[in-house]
């Protein structure tokens, strides 16, 4: 007897293009190229001379360009992954939507609610998917916590906490002189704002207060650097939440959450991920994870896998079209908190959020 | 051969009197009677008819009275343990000092800095010991954290957290209608304020902001009840601290601390104290402690043992006279934060503390 | 500007064939089809009518056959994954080697040292890779432990432990009547034997003693069922090891290891993998993993990824040709212990292993 | 108003005498003197010249003697604590019982079943309490495990583990040349044998097998030293247990237990007792306990407190007379296993225990 052939329906692969080839763009491109089943890295685009070419060569990507418009004009592209500088995210979302491309966009999606709203309108008109890179929602630890909350295991949230501490590099904070004031809120804590919103379903932030400082690199305090911040938030259901960040954790990447409710508490995250412990004359020791892409390796991969599955579901009618993903509304809710936090830093006072407009108003 | 006698120098026992026989007074009296070596429960005093007599009978205490002045007039009394209502603590401290008695006083030692200062002056004049009931300092978990910080294991503190969640009783908050607004700050969080001060040695609180609410018993919000609070504090060395409290934890008594510094982090406390874990079809389970005197059983006992040892050291020249204990200055520092927190609740704004006077001034 | 093309060297994909389409064979086939980069599922083979066809259809595999010889005759096949019944493993290894195919074979590779030796000779002659499915070596938890041991963190091993507890199914042990006596040693504990050998590098087992019983399904004790076993092993460097197995853990899949040495201890594995904890009136709770492919999801995938990388390295000169993998010698060492264990069960006595021949001799 | 006197019924204190003033005898004497309420250290006895006198002086004990008979002849002595060399335990038990003294005896109570039986008969005739120093039963961690088992939380035990690792001293094993072969079984593992018996209520050991060696101090192997041992035990209910010991743990004192049953598992013990964790560039670190009297500080104290309470209950009719304590039957069951273990070491073979006589018989 010899081989028989399978009547395989060869499905067209999903063709993804990555826009922006910085650290996170290159990481996403590699994830698509090496870890996504049924999706291919079709093109990479970056206006910086030579960078897209280099990444394409490294990953075996067939197309590259320094003109992002090429991607939008390419009918073969099913979806784009936007990992450009955050200042152009909103504009790229709008262009991608206008071109009918599904969109995965890194956070933050915008730096003002006005520009964000414009881009979300474009998405709504085009009826494309917009998934935002709130990868923490794809962490198994956090997803389990969210599931516990949604099934009522802890009752109504009353006290919440979410923190992000970035790993220390070379004992300091390289590039501190270029970090603008808003970064800790719009780039870092925006993850925590989204996490808290997600873990308190149906509630909205109504008040924000911040204490922040440059403690890691105090020599750049005068430049406006903030590298340490505690944001206190009041929610419409009464819950009081604390989001906390620091740019320089000696022991590695530290992301944790805690929700205390009327009938229980749930915690997620721990700097030591392995179950391995070593004991010696100095006591018990566990290794801690160094990088966000170590701590959240699965989450980074899974958010793109879900995106691809959802887009394919919409294109081919395969399962997945209805998968829930963090979208434009979530991006808006988190950005509103980040902007209010920035305002609180400037005034030194609490800031109230108007539930209707979600615009910050001085308390 | 027959017995030989030891040339034992029989030391006079330390004679302690307990003032106030409510829940915590009775608990301290029992600790003295049953767990302190070389100290005896000499007298109990309480103006409430019959209560001192009942406790004396129960514990085999030889003397009781309804007139607290009797205790101060009794030359045999070496030291008093004040566990009366906190409104009379400062007055009792001053009277005890005037009578030359060493003093252990439950927290809070006063409700205003003015009355506290008056009592501390009396203590200073009389040169007696004043130890404040900040029992958390005697928890092995927290003491280890303090030791790690003092030896530089985590560098300079940048982010701090201390929380107290009281155990839920009968699924609600009995007596909620009688709990006044300040209680969560002056009775509960004052432990956390002291803990944070202790874990950030040499630094002073310069700014306080509060978000608080009645979430456990919202029907008493109009009465001024606060049962949930988040207090954010800025320290003179830049550290930003969060103190958090809630009056109704379903899973028992929860006290934890965390200090993140320039070169590390230390954590203390966990609701599950035993190492015992049970695994079944629902997963892994650990029992949690229900009561503060369970979670801190050793700390409650050890704080009195240290007090007795210190007093004896002063009286008899035995070792212990120099033992460090939380004293009047610590009580004042914690009270200043509690009062600022109360002021912040009333104004809804951050409150600055003047380092010189330690009085709160509106931000 | 328009797209530019990358000068991509299209590498021939690695073509893998899976032999055997039972539970684990289907699982491996799916891993190749969905999770391996640069490798394709080229063919599936199973003599059972219709099974290979069904799996090929499900996974989009282009070729299937009911005649395993087809796979060996197919020049396009780079390597085979053997997941047939273990009774034919050794024969298939020899055939695959004779055909020049690289080999990944599930454990156990054989049921006698004689047939294993014959197959290993074929492998040696053909100079193909033989990787054995000891997936525990690819678990990050265990790999960290092995790394700690190899760097000397715990000194010389003195006491060791490795355990496997399979998850309970429907509260019982389905198919118990068909489970033969040797299965707990050759199919289950063989993982633990290999783990212990791996964690005690350079040492050999010299003595084996077993206590075993049918405790989960005692009604099949008369059939020879063993569902619970404790195997004690002495190593040539003096270390004493315990391997323990049970077929019915109510709380899920439980695999753990512990090595105690002259200057420390290392532990790996825990039934609860997530950091998520829920606290309620009953205490603290953590979810446990149910299935081996949950607990070791990464390890199952990574062992095949490493195999593919190694085979590609040998074929194409890409990095990876020198990757260390568990091979024929490891399979032999573990099988020798399993056979000695079976002998100990039959005699009720300890069994010595002759270091030279690695054949068991009655103590 | 002035003091009133309490009508206190002054109870006669319980008068305890400690026999043997070595390390553990002195420790028990101190516990009585400093930590037991309502009991006094009335006398200490030790034939070694000067030792009883020195301890009496240190602890303020009124009587001391070098003639142990003095203690038995003293009518004021309610109970004795036997901490002499274990070779004379059985004889002292019999003498104490004959004198009508209640008895707390350190383990092991004897070195042969014959001498133990004789002493137990004396105890039975005199109707005095005999409590054996199996302090692990008074550890909260282990007591919680026992309670979980007795309430059926894990079903019927199938696999059990108990281990004792003594802390390393000066990186070696001081006095190794004097340690006789049986010590690891009769002095150390006897705790584990009792723990396993206690955690498997109603079942009896029917078979014992040992692998043991001198791995810490191999230079004394020829002297008969055993410093490392693994004892496998089969119980009458089918459970298979492993007891494991080593004399030199670099990370401190390590005592743990695990019981796996038909519907769950329970674990007790962990080398790191505090909840305090420190994180730095090397990972997460927890301090481990160094000494048995650190790890089991509460258990050492509580076993004597329970003994005193029970004896007082019998003497004065106060509550406590019925308190369950480990007694002669428990000592006998553990000793039978220890002796069988020693026999297994000598023969290299498994040893069966006859349930009726509890004497070991060669398998």
């Amino acid at each position: 007897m010899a081989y028989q052939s399978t009547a395989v329906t060869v499905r067209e692969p999903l063709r993804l293009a990555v826009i922006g080839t910085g650290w996170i763009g290159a990481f996403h491109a590699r994830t698509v190229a090496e870890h996504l089943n049924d999706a291919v890295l079709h093109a990479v685009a970056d206006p910086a001379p030579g960078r897209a070419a280099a990444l394409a060569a490294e990953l075996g990507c067939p197309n590259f360009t320094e003109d992002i418009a090429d991607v939008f004009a390419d009918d073969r592209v099913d979806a784009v992954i936007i990992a450009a500088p955050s200042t152009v995210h909103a504009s790229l979302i709008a262009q991608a939507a206008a071109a009918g491309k599904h969109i995965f966009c890194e956070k933050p999606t915008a730096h003002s609610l006005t520009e964000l709203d414009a881009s979300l309108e474009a998405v709504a008109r085009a009826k494309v998917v917009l998934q935002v890179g709130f990868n923490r929602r794809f962490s198994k630890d956090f997803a389990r916590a969210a599931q516990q909350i949604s099934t009522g295991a802890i009752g109504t949230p009353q006290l919440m906490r979410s923190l992000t501490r970035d790993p220390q590099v070379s004992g300091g904070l390289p590039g501190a002189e270029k970090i603008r004031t808003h970064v800790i809120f719009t780039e870092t804590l925006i993850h925590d704002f989204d996490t808290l919103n997600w873990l308190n379903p149906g509630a909205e932030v109504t008040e924000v207060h911040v204490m922040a400082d440059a403690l890691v690199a105090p020599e750049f305090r005068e430049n406006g650097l903030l590298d340490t911040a505690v944001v206190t938030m009041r929610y419409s259901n009464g819950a009081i939440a604390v989001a906390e960040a620091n740019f320089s954790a000696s022991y590695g990447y530290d992301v944790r959450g805690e929700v205390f409710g009327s009938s229980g508490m749930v915690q997620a995250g721990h700097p030591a991920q392995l179950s391995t412990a070593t004991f010696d004359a100095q006591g018990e020791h566990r290794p801690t994870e160094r990088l966000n892409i170590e701590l959240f390796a699965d989450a980074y991969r899974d958010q793109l896998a879900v995106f691809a599955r959802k887009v394919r579901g919409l294109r081919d009618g395969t399962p997945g079209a209805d998968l829930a993903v963090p979208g434009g509304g979530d991006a808006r809710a988190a950005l509103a908190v980040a902007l209010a936090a920035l305002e609180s830093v400037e005034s030194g006072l609490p800031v109230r959020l108007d539930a209707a407009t979600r615009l910050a108003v001085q308390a």
Side-chain angles (χ1 to χ4, degrees), chain A:
Chain A
M1 176 180 177
Y3 273 156
Q4 294 180 274
S5 293
T6 312
V8 178
T9 309
V10 176
R11 294 191 299 192
E12 275 293 296
L14 205 66
R15 289 188 178 83
L16 302 182
V18 170
I19 299 172
T21 62
W23 182 85
I24 191 66
F27 181 79
H28 287 322
R30 179 176 302 276
T31 299
V32 172
E34 298 186 353
H35 297 294
L36 286 203
N37 183 248
D38 287 350
V40 298
L41 181 67
H42 176 75
V44 292
D46 195 311
R51 288 188 47 174
L55 186 64
E58 179 187 341
L59 297 176
C61 173
N63 305 295
F64 64 90
T65 180
E66 292 173 8
D67 182 352
I68 293 171
D70 289 344
V71 168
F72 298 134
D74 182 351
D75 284 347
R76 295 166 300 177
V77 169
D78 292 294
V80 295
I81 294 173
I82 300 175
S86 59
T87 46
V88 296
H89 281 181
S91 164
L92 290 171
I93 289 173
Q95 294 173 58
K101 307 305 185 197
H102 297 291
I103 304 159
F104 178 95
C105 185
E106 262 305 322
K107 47 85 220 170
T109 45
H111 285 279
S112 84
L113 294 175
T114 309
E115 64 170 347
L116 179 57
D117 285 345
S119 72
L120 296 185
E121 276 167 35
V123 167
R125 268 196 307 272
K127 293 187 174 141
V128 293
V129 171
L130 169 62
Q131 180 177 335
V132 180
F134 290 138
N135 56 303
R136 217 163 284 183
R137 294 196 181 204
F138 296 86
S139 144
K140 288 188 181 67
D141 289 329
F142 277 85
R144 166 79 183 178
Q147 178 263 334
Q148 289 286 92
I149 292 167
S150 69
T151 60
I154 65 156
T156 305
Q158 295 178 346
L159 287 165
M160 308 180 71
R161 185 192 197 202
S162 177
L163 67 84
T164 303
R165 295 179 186 152
D166 288 326
Q168 197 169 84
V169 180
S170 320
L173 186 56
E177 69 282 2
K178 291 182 293 189
I179 301 176
R180 296 180 55 194
T181 303
H182 66 82
V183 167
I184 199 166
F185 305 113
T186 57
E187 300 275 348
T188 301
L189 282 162
I190 201 149
H191 277 301
D192 300 278
F193 301 147
D194 179 63
T195 298
L196 292 165
N197 289 340
W198 173 47
L199 297 179
N200 195 6
E204 294 187 340
V205 175
T206 61
E207 188 181 359
V208 173
H209 174 262
V210 179
M211 283 198 197
D213 205 344
L215 300 178
V216 177
E219 64 274 27
F220 297 106
R221 185 179 287 132
E222 296 306 308
N223 294 26
L225 173 69
L226 296 178
D227 54 36
T228 305
V230 172
V231 181
T232 319
M233 301 149 64
R234 195 190 296 272
Y235 275 92
S236 55
N237 66 346
I240 305 171
V242 175
E244 175 200 309
N246 180 282
F247 283 168
S248 188
S250 68
Y251 53 93
Y253 194 55
D254 186 4
V255 169
R256 284 177 282 146
E258 175 174 314
V259 183
F260 171 89
S262 52
S263 58
M265 171 173 69
V266 65
Q267 297 177 319
H270 191 81
Q273 288 288 296
L274 298 185
S275 66
T276 316
T278 306
F279 297 73
D280 61 20
Q282 279 70 50
E284 178 179 359
H285 314 282
R286 288 172 186 268
T288 50
E289 305 296 318
R290 297 292 126 184
L291 298 176
N292 51 353
I293 54 172
E294 280 176 17
L295 187 69
F296 284 126
D298 289 357
Y300 272 97
R301 186 182 65 229
D302 291 351
Q303 67 177 350
L304 289 187
V306 165
F307 175 67
R309 193 151 182 255
K310 184 177 181 74
V311 169
R312 173 179 292 283
L314 290 168
R315 192 191 72 177
D316 298 346
T318 51
D322 295 331
L323 282 168
V325 295
D330 300 307
R332 196 182 197 285
L335 180 61
V337 177
L339 295 174
L342 190 57
E343 191 179 327
S344 175
V345 162
E346 284 160 4
S347 68
L349 297 174
V351 170
R352 291 190 207 290
L353 295 193
D354 182 299
T357 66
R358 272 293 185 49
L359 295 172
V361 279
Q362 179 75 43

